[in-house]
């Protein structure tokens, strides 16, 4: 089928492919799995265009479909995912010893974050956030994205990946620390024009 043969809906869906692929790669950290998830998403959208019904933006609808395809991919490839052993609980993250004092309080006060609500509407902020998330260690990144972006419950994640709740919470804590450090260095430390 050529571009001239494609319907306007088909063309609109195709314009979001690159964004969907970036989103899937960030979640799955495997190019092949990401390509498969995006292909399945596009096929699902194109096979049932009437399901869209303009109740949301097309991009939002496609991301919703993609989230389900990503969850399916994580379930299908679950045995291939290296999440770490149960011994991670005992291993101290060097970032924690830098960020916290022995009494559990911050070693240094967090940097001033200005107006986070305003930053959330910034496309550039989300690009920095995606870059920071992609730099997380694979197991922490996968768990953080499953919890915060795919909005899976802690119970679902523990069941899917055969983790203890304690291990999950430790890994999420470490991921959030690393994200905070990355955002402070790459976003909040640099003044931007408003």
């Amino acid at each position: 089928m050529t571009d001239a043969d494609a319907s306007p809906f088909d063309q609109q869906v195709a314009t979001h492919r690159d964004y969907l692929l970036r989103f899937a790669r960030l979640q799955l950290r495997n190019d092949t799995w990401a390509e498969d998830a995006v292909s399945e998403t596009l096929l699902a959208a194109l096979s049932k265009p009437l399901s869209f019904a303009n109740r949301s933006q097309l991009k939002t609808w496609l991301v919703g479909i993609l989230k389900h395809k990503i969850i399916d991919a994580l379930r299908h490839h679950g045995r291939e995912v290296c999440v770490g052993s149960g011994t991670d609980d005992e291993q101290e993250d060097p970032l924690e010893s830098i960020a916290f004092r022995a009494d559990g309080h911050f070693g240094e006060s967090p940097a001033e974050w200005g107006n986070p609500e305003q930053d959330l509407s910034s496309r550039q902020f989300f690009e920095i956030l995606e870059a920071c998330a992609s730099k997380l260690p694979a197991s922490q990144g996968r768990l953080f994205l499953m919890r915060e972006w795919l909005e899976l419950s802690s119970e679902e994640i523990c069941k899917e990946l055969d983790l203890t709740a304690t291990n999950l919470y430790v890994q999420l804590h470490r991921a959030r620390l690393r994200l905070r450090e990355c955002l402070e260095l790459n976003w909040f430390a640099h003044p931007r024009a408003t």
Side-chain angles (χ1 to χ4, degrees):
M1 176 161 70
T2 65
D3 286 343
D5 297 335
S7 74
F9 181 76
D10 295 353
Q11 292 171 354
Q12 289 175 5
V13 168
T15 61
H16 296 291
R17 185 183 184 285
D18 290 341
Y19 174 80
L20 295 172
L21 194 53
R22 276 196 330 268
F23 185 87
R25 283 183 177 142
L26 186 62
Q27 306 291 328
L28 296 169
R29 297 182 184 238
N30 181 304
D31 288 342
T32 304
W33 299 354
E35 287 279 351
D36 289 346
V38 170
S39 295
E40 290 175 17
T41 298
L42 296 177
L43 285 173
L46 293 173
S47 68
K48 296 186 180 178
L50 296 178
S51 299
F52 174 53
N54 286 320
R55 288 187 297 260
S56 64
Q57 290 187 11
L58 179 60
K59 185 177 182 180
T60 305
W61 183 66
L62 291 170
V63 169
I65 296 170
L66 180 59
K67 283 182 177 183
H68 292 286
K69 300 299 180 185
I70 289 170
I71 291 168
D72 290 344
L74 290 171
R75 286 181 178 142
H76 177 63
H77 299 292
R79 289 191 174 95
E80 298 175 42
V81 176
C82 178
V83 177
S85 65
T87 60
D88 283 348
D89 291 340
E90 294 86 38
Q91 297 173 358
E92 184 174 321
D93 188 340
L95 183 59
E96 262 185 71
S97 63
I98 294 169
F100 296 102
R101 296 189 306 242
D103 63 3
H105 290 90
F106 284 114
E108 253 182 61
S109 295
E112 175 60 40
W113 282 24
N115 185 350
E117 287 183 23
Q118 182 181 1
D119 289 336
L120 286 176
S121 65
S122 166
R123 179 183 175 103
Q124 186 181 11
F125 172 78
F126 279 103
E127 290 171 0
I128 299 292
L129 179 61
E130 279 186 30
C132 289
S134 70
K135 291 179 184 179
L136 288 172
S139 61
Q140 289 176 8
R142 182 166 288 114
L143 292 173
F144 178 79
L145 294 171
M146 288 175 78
R147 179 71 182 108
E148 302 301 335
W149 290 12
L150 297 178
E151 299 175 347
L152 294 175
S153 70
S154 298
E155 294 79 21
E156 289 174 303
I157 296 169
C158 289
K159 182 180 176 187
E160 278 304 314
L161 301 177
D162 194 28
L163 291 174
T164 65
T166 301
N167 185 264
L168 174 64
Y169 296 133
V170 166
Q171 293 301 319
L172 288 173
H173 171 72
R174 291 177 180 173
R176 289 178 180 120
L177 276 177
R178 289 181 185 279
L179 282 174
R180 184 187 120 199
E181 177 189 42
C182 182
L183 287 171
E184 284 181 354
L185 291 172
N186 296 294
W187 181 255
F188 298 109
H190 302 290
R192 290 164 306 284
T194 54

